[in-house]
Amino acid sequence: MPDRVSSLYAPSAGIAAVGAVVPDLVGVIRDRHDLSPLATAAVGRLVAGAVLFGASLKGKERISIQIAADGPIEGLFADAWLLDENTVGARGYARNPHVDLPLNARGKFDVAGAVGSGSLQITKTYEAGKPYMGIVALHSGEIAEDLAAYLVRSEQIPSAVALGVLANPEGVIAAGGILAEVLPGADERAVLELERRAQSLRPVTQLMSEGADSDGLVRALAGDLELREHRRLAVRFACLCSREKVEAALVGLGVDDLRQMARENDTTQASCEYCKRDYTFNADELLALGKSVS
Ligand SMILES: [Zn+2]
């Protein structure tokens, strides 16, 4: 079953919901960044959240989510954008990919303990014009609750978010989530209906383990409500890096550092922090970059 994100809505109840099932995406990120099981859970939740938000993107828009916090994972990042009109690309990383803590009191990954306290920032960039940026204090550090709190506080949209990742030292077993919102113009009954359905929703990891796909997650929330399809997109790992961008970052080091690197090494490797791809530069190339700034 390929990774997918589905947007559906229930006009009669005034509720819209997005479901994402992304075990392959999270598995690729885990492998590239050598994430511990706990870091896999944290990054997996955040990137699933970026994909859920990304389901409504158009054209060259991009959504990025950054957590800056004081816990041992040292911060997290994920973003999503459209690769084409049918596909969402996404990536993510943790500053400390090897973070490890005992399971929490409920026997789950202690994501809140790894994240700590700090802030959650969401930036949406458009094809043209200034990006939109919202920032809120972290609510719990469990990520799903933080994203729901962001939507309520920063965008005044009553929402429910559930995210889940099942991972072990061998890999990712399940990953995905649901984002449900009250439709614009819906009344208080829709808010209560959404709360009631979100509270009775079974854990998304359980639903995915039983075979739920992205539509199935939404249906589990919607129950007997009649659903209409809005959009369904494939999801896959992608990165926006290029040799030109790495060159620009090297130029930013300054001519002295570039000359020193060229003297000390036959070849220098610079790796992309988002995807871990290595870009190799020989001494002549570094000196040429140095010339371009001097
Ligand atoms: Zn990259």
Side-chain angles (χ1 to χ4, degrees), residues 32 91 237-242 246 271-277 279:
R32 284 180 179 247
R91 59 186 179 171
F237 177 83
C239 193
L240 295 165
C241 64
S242 65
V246 177
S271 97
C272 170
E273 85 180 305
Y274 299 98
C275 72
K276 293 288 168 191
R277 179 175 165 182
Y279 291 88

Side-chain angles (χ1 to χ4, degrees), residues 66-90:
Q66 187 168 8
I67 291 178
D70 61 4
I73 203 164
E74 298 169 15
L76 297 158
F77 175 89
D79 62 350
W81 64 98
L82 294 179
L83 296 171
D84 58 51
E85 59 187 17
N86 300 310
T87 316
V88 176

